[in-house]
Amino acid sequence: GSCFWVAVLDGNVVGIVAARGNEEDNTLELRRMSVDSNFRGKGIAKALGRKVLEFAMLNNYSSIVLGTTAVKMAAHKLYESLGFKHVGITEHYTLPGMTHSILERMFFQLRYHRYRLQLREE
């Protein structure tokens, strides 16, 4: 139920994406999408996202979900261009491993955006 894809261009890794299935609610979680900053804007992230979508459809998942702390609007536009709908925000999100110290609370007040792409009704 899990996969990892690597985008390679001229022998160099330029992007990655992972997906993890959840049997309880039949969703696939898109995780860790990243494209080398030197290769952004070339359709690599969209191709990786489409690979996850293809995997989800071939394996009969009902939806794909993702969460992101990305502040760049390009990331949000990418998800929406792939068909994801923004379904919520968690304010003051803390990353795993944070200690909740005063400095972290001052400098790391993150917004966690949740997205869902419904493939079929359960």
Side-chain angles (χ1 to χ4, degrees):
S2 298
C3 276
F4 185 81
W5 293 272
V6 178
V8 178
L9 185 63
D10 297 327
N12 297 307
V13 173
V14 296
I16 61 166
V17 68
R20 180 175 63 187
N22 182 341
E23 290 182 15
E24 288 181 21
D25 61 2
N26 197 33
T27 62
L28 183 70
E29 183 182 11
L30 185 153
R31 300 178 53 89
R32 309 290 186 254
M33 184 185 294
S34 180
V35 173
D36 183 307
S37 59
N38 296 319
F39 295 92
R40 291 184 184 154
K42 299 183 183 321
I44 296 167
K46 189 169 266 193
L48 289 168
R50 286 183 178 148
K51 197 61 156 168
V52 172
L53 177 61
E54 177 185 317
F55 177 80
M57 290 171 43
L58 286 172
N59 290 279
N60 296 314
Y61 286 99
S62 61
S63 62
I64 306 170
V65 296
L66 69 89
T68 183
T69 57
V71 294
K72 294 186 177 179
M73 289 311 298
H76 297 277
K77 288 183 182 200
L78 167 69
Y79 302 134
E80 291 169 2
S81 76
L82 289 166
F84 285 86
K85 304 289 183 224
H86 191 260
V87 294
I89 297 175
T90 301
E91 298 284 346
H92 308 294
Y93 179 75
T94 56
L95 295 169
M98 288 179 70
T99 63
H100 306 284
S101 69
I102 290 175
L103 284 176
E104 282 183 349
R105 287 194 305 257
M106 286 175 52
F107 293 106
F108 295 105
Q109 296 192 8
L110 302 175
R111 285 182 159 173
Y112 185 75
H113 297 264
R114 293 181 312 280
Y115 286 86
R116 175 179 290 272
L117 173 58
Q118 196 69 38
L119 301 173
R120 61 184 171 82
E121 293 300 319
E122 279 292 289

